[in-house]
Amino acid sequence: AVLMVRFVAEQNDRLLEGLFLEQQIRELADTDPLTGLPNRRAIMASIEAELVTDDARFGIALLDLDGFKQINDSLGHHAGDLMLLGVSGRLTDAAGEQDCVGRLGGDEFIILLRDVDHKAELSVRTTSLLANLCRPIELDGHRLPVAASLGFAMYPDDGQSIREVLHI
């Protein structure tokens, strides 16, 4: 009986460890390792999930940092990483609770803006995001300007598929 209890306890421990590892793998597959934001795969899955809701209406903003390569080249990749961390934090803070900020890769970010009814509202929200982002950032004793290019589109107004919306 003691051996049976020990065997069941060990199997339970292995099962729990397997479940924990499975969760870690899932998180690694969906998370940008530097910023902790959802990666391209995860953010696209979130967008696809929005499509199946009744009367889906949402905005998508694509953001690309201006002058990022110059920061990497002049101050090194460590400074570039710190810049990306600062930007991801600012975007997350500025986005609404219902919104989702993700990193596509490099210096490109995407924001899924939920609960947007009109393109004018989307314009106001993305302008606010950009204003919150574009303040100088302190990196290793350097005060660096933050600038970005941002484009936005609204589903379904600007396209009937995500591919169409993202190519506007």
Side-chain angles (χ1 to χ4, degrees):
V2 171
L3 287 176
M4 185 60 131
V5 169
R6 186 174 179 180
F7 175 76
V8 170
E10 287 176 3
Q11 292 295 61
N12 187 45
D13 288 346
R14 287 189 185 125
L15 177 64
L16 289 174
E17 183 179 327
L19 291 172
F20 178 73
L21 289 174
E22 184 179 319
Q23 177 64 28
Q24 283 184 313
I25 290 169
R26 194 170 308 127
E27 287 174 8
L28 288 172
D30 291 339
T31 304
D32 176 66
L34 175 64
T35 63
L37 293 174
N39 62 16
R40 177 184 297 270
R41 180 178 114 81
I43 195 79
M44 295 309 287
S46 294
I47 292 169
E48 292 292 333
E50 288 296 312
L51 291 175
V52 299
T53 62
D54 293 333
D55 301 321
R57 291 190 66 71
F58 54 88
I60 297 175
L62 295 173
L63 184 136
D64 184 40
L65 295 178
D66 298 337
F68 181 73
K69 183 181 180 327
Q70 188 176 18
I71 291 170
N72 264 346
D73 291 348
S74 62
L75 299 175
H77 291 284
H78 175 70
D81 288 351
L82 291 175
M83 171 74 85
L84 292 172
L85 285 168
V87 165
S88 67
R90 286 181 181 181
L91 287 174
T92 301
D93 290 345
E97 279 185 35
Q98 74 280 4
D99 300 333
C100 186
V101 178
R103 182 173 174 216
L104 294 176
D107 63 344
E108 297 177 338
F109 295 84
I110 185 170
I111 304 100
L112 168 61
L113 298 125
R114 296 181 174 104
D115 296 329
V116 179
D117 293 322
H118 305 287
K119 202 153 187 180
E121 180 185 354
L122 180 58
S123 178
V124 168
R125 289 180 63 189
T126 55
T127 300
S128 175
L129 275 169
L130 200 54
N132 282 309
L133 175 67
C134 292
R135 299 175 318 219
I137 192 166
E138 297 286 333
L139 292 178
D140 293 336
H142 297 90
R143 186 174 170 86
L144 302 173
V146 177
S149 300
L150 183 140
F152 62 88
M154 185 145 184
Y155 178 86
D157 301 12
D158 294 319
Q160 296 302 307
S161 70
I162 294 306
R163 174 174 238 122
E164 288 177 15
V165 172
L166 291 176
H167 283 89
I168 290 179

PDB file of all heavy atoms in Angstrom, residues 21-33:
ATOM      1  N   LEU A  21       5.201  22.792 -17.537  1.00  0.00           N
ATOM      2  CA  LEU A  21       6.061  22.957 -18.704  1.00  0.00           C
ATOM      3  C   LEU A  21       5.249  23.284 -19.953  1.00  0.00           C
ATOM      4  O   LEU A  21       5.656  24.113 -20.772  1.00  0.00           O
ATOM      5  CB  LEU A  21       6.899  21.698 -18.925  1.00  0.00           C
ATOM      6  CG  LEU A  21       8.005  21.453 -17.914  1.00  0.00           C
ATOM      7  CD1 LEU A  21       8.661  20.093 -18.166  1.00  0.00           C
ATOM      8  CD2 LEU A  21       9.036  22.558 -17.948  1.00  0.00           C
ATOM      9  N   GLU A  22       4.095  22.660 -20.082  1.00  0.00           N
ATOM     10  CA  GLU A  22       3.219  22.947 -21.220  1.00  0.00           C
ATOM     11  C   GLU A  22       2.776  24.411 -21.206  1.00  0.00           C
ATOM     12  O   GLU A  22       2.763  25.083 -22.243  1.00  0.00           O
ATOM     13  CB  GLU A  22       1.998  22.030 -21.178  1.00  0.00           C
ATOM     14  CG  GLU A  22       1.079  22.180 -22.357  1.00  0.00           C
ATOM     15  CD  GLU A  22      -0.100  21.227 -22.276  1.00  0.00           C
ATOM     16  OE1 GLU A  22       0.103  20.058 -21.884  1.00  0.00           O
ATOM     17  OE2 GLU A  22      -1.214  21.661 -22.606  1.00  0.00           O
ATOM     18  N   GLN A  23       2.438  24.929 -20.035  1.00  0.00           N
ATOM     19  CA  GLN A  23       2.052  26.334 -19.911  1.00  0.00           C
ATOM     20  C   GLN A  23       3.224  27.241 -20.255  1.00  0.00           C
ATOM     21  O   GLN A  23       3.049  28.251 -20.943  1.00  0.00           O
ATOM     22  CB  GLN A  23       1.544  26.622 -18.489  1.00  0.00           C
ATOM     23  CG  GLN A  23       1.181  28.065 -18.239  1.00  0.00           C
ATOM     24  CD  GLN A  23       0.026  28.543 -19.097  1.00  0.00           C
ATOM     25  OE1 GLN A  23      -0.822  27.771 -19.497  1.00  0.00           O
ATOM     26  NE2 GLN A  23       0.014  29.830 -19.389  1.00  0.00           N
ATOM     27  N   GLN A  24       4.419  26.914 -19.797  1.00  0.00           N
ATOM     28  CA  GLN A  24       5.605  27.715 -20.123  1.00  0.00           C
ATOM     29  C   GLN A  24       5.869  27.728 -21.625  1.00  0.00           C
ATOM     30  O   GLN A  24       6.181  28.779 -22.187  1.00  0.00           O
ATOM     31  CB  GLN A  24       6.841  27.179 -19.396  1.00  0.00           C
ATOM     32  CG  GLN A  24       6.910  27.558 -17.944  1.00  0.00           C
ATOM     33  CD  GLN A  24       8.219  27.060 -17.341  1.00  0.00           C
ATOM     34  OE1 GLN A  24       8.607  25.916 -17.527  1.00  0.00           O
ATOM     35  NE2 GLN A  24       8.896  27.944 -16.630  1.00  0.00           N
ATOM     36  N   ILE A  25       5.731  26.602 -22.276  1.00  0.00           N
ATOM     37  CA  ILE A  25       5.937  26.518 -23.722  1.00  0.00           C
ATOM     38  C   ILE A  25       4.918  27.378 -24.446  1.00  0.00           C
ATOM     39  O   ILE A  25       5.257  28.120 -25.377  1.00  0.00           O
ATOM     40  CB  ILE A  25       5.875  25.049 -24.193  1.00  0.00           C
ATOM     41  CG1 ILE A  25       7.103  24.292 -23.704  1.00  0.00           C
ATOM     42  CG2 ILE A  25       5.744  24.966 -25.718  1.00  0.00           C
ATOM     43  CD1 ILE A  25       7.023  22.791 -23.869  1.00  0.00           C
ATOM     44  N   ARG A  26       3.677  27.317 -24.012  1.00  0.00           N
ATOM     45  CA  ARG A  26       2.624  28.128 -24.622  1.00  0.00           C
ATOM     46  C   ARG A  26       2.945  29.622 -24.468  1.00  0.00           C
ATOM     47  O   ARG A  26       2.803  30.395 -25.412  1.00  0.00           O
ATOM     48  CB  ARG A  26       1.275  27.795 -23.992  1.00  0.00           C
ATOM     49  CG  ARG A  26       0.103  28.333 -24.769  1.00  0.00           C
ATOM     50  CD  ARG A  26      -1.228  27.806 -24.272  1.00  0.00           C
ATOM     51  NE  ARG A  26      -1.219  26.355 -24.205  1.00  0.00           N
ATOM     52  CZ  ARG A  26      -1.540  25.645 -23.124  1.00  0.00           C
ATOM     53  NH1 ARG A  26      -1.917  26.237 -22.035  1.00  0.00           N
ATOM     54  NH2 ARG A  26      -1.506  24.338 -23.134  1.00  0.00           N
ATOM     55  N   GLU A  27       3.388  30.021 -23.286  1.00  0.00           N
ATOM     56  CA  GLU A  27       3.730  31.427 -23.056  1.00  0.00           C
ATOM     57  C   GLU A  27       4.925  31.851 -23.915  1.00  0.00           C
ATOM     58  O   GLU A  27       4.931  32.941 -24.476  1.00  0.00           O
ATOM     59  CB  GLU A  27       4.020  31.670 -21.574  1.00  0.00           C
ATOM     60  CG  GLU A  27       2.778  31.644 -20.712  1.00  0.00           C
ATOM     61  CD  GLU A  27       3.086  31.735 -19.224  1.00  0.00           C
ATOM     62  OE1 GLU A  27       4.258  31.971 -18.861  1.00  0.00           O
ATOM     63  OE2 GLU A  27       2.150  31.556 -18.441  1.00  0.00           O
ATOM     64  N   LEU A  28       5.929  31.004 -24.022  1.00  0.00           N
ATOM     65  CA  LEU A  28       7.093  31.320 -24.851  1.00  0.00           C
ATOM     66  C   LEU A  28       6.710  31.433 -26.328  1.00  0.00           C
ATOM     67  O   LEU A  28       7.247  32.277 -27.048  1.00  0.00           O
ATOM     68  CB  LEU A  28       8.183  30.267 -24.673  1.00  0.00           C
ATOM     69  CG  LEU A  28       8.921  30.287 -23.342  1.00  0.00           C
ATOM     70  CD1 LEU A  28       9.832  29.068 -23.225  1.00  0.00           C
ATOM     71  CD2 LEU A  28       9.714  31.568 -23.181  1.00  0.00           C
ATOM     72  N   ALA A  29       5.781  30.612 -26.772  1.00  0.00           N
ATOM     73  CA  ALA A  29       5.364  30.636 -28.170  1.00  0.00           C
ATOM     74  C   ALA A  29       4.577  31.895 -28.513  1.00  0.00           C
ATOM     75  O   ALA A  29       4.551  32.322 -29.664  1.00  0.00           O
ATOM     76  CB  ALA A  29       4.530  29.403 -28.487  1.00  0.00           C
ATOM     77  N   ASP A  30       3.930  32.516 -27.534  1.00  0.00           N
ATOM     78  CA  ASP A  30       3.058  33.665 -27.775  1.00  0.00           C
ATOM     79  C   ASP A  30       3.603  34.992 -27.273  1.00  0.00           C
ATOM     80  O   ASP A  30       2.935  36.018 -27.396  1.00  0.00           O
ATOM     81  CB  ASP A  30       1.691  33.427 -27.116  1.00  0.00           C
ATOM     82  CG  ASP A  30       0.909  32.326 -27.795  1.00  0.00           C
ATOM     83  OD1 ASP A  30       1.187  32.012 -28.963  1.00  0.00           O
ATOM     84  OD2 ASP A  30      -0.016  31.773 -27.153  1.00  0.00           O
ATOM     85  N   THR A  31       4.792  35.002 -26.704  1.00  0.00           N
ATOM     86  CA  THR A  31       5.311  36.208 -26.055  1.00  0.00           C
ATOM     87  C   THR A  31       6.640  36.633 -26.670  1.00  0.00           C
ATOM     88  O   THR A  31       7.520  35.811 -26.911  1.00  0.00           O
ATOM     89  CB  THR A  31       5.505  35.933 -24.541  1.00  0.00           C
ATOM     90  OG1 THR A  31       4.268  35.484 -23.995  1.00  0.00           O
ATOM     91  CG2 THR A  31       5.940  37.181 -23.808  1.00  0.00           C
ATOM     92  N   ASP A  32       6.761  37.928 -26.905  1.00  0.00           N
ATOM     93  CA  ASP A  32       8.025  38.481 -27.354  1.00  0.00           C
ATOM     94  C   ASP A  32       9.017  38.381 -26.193  1.00  0.00           C
ATOM     95  O   ASP A  32       8.723  38.867 -25.092  1.00  0.00           O
ATOM     96  CB  ASP A  32       7.839  39.942 -27.776  1.00  0.00           C
ATOM     97  CG  ASP A  32       9.138  40.599 -28.149  1.00  0.00           C
ATOM     98  OD1 ASP A  32       9.725  40.172 -29.164  1.00  0.00           O
ATOM     99  OD2 ASP A  32       9.562  41.516 -27.430  1.00  0.00           O
ATOM    100  N   PRO A  33      10.171  37.769 -26.392  1.00  0.00           N
ATOM    101  CA  PRO A  33      11.074  37.536 -25.270  1.00  0.00           C
ATOM    102  C   PRO A  33      11.670  38.802 -24.654  1.00  0.00           C
ATOM    103  O   PRO A  33      11.980  38.818 -23.473  1.00  0.00           O
ATOM    104  CB  PRO A  33      12.177  36.650 -25.855  1.00  0.00           C
ATOM    105  CG  PRO A  33      12.095  36.828 -27.327  1.00  0.00           C
ATOM    106  CD  PRO A  33      10.677  37.196 -27.637  1.00  0.00           C
TER     107      PRO A  33
END
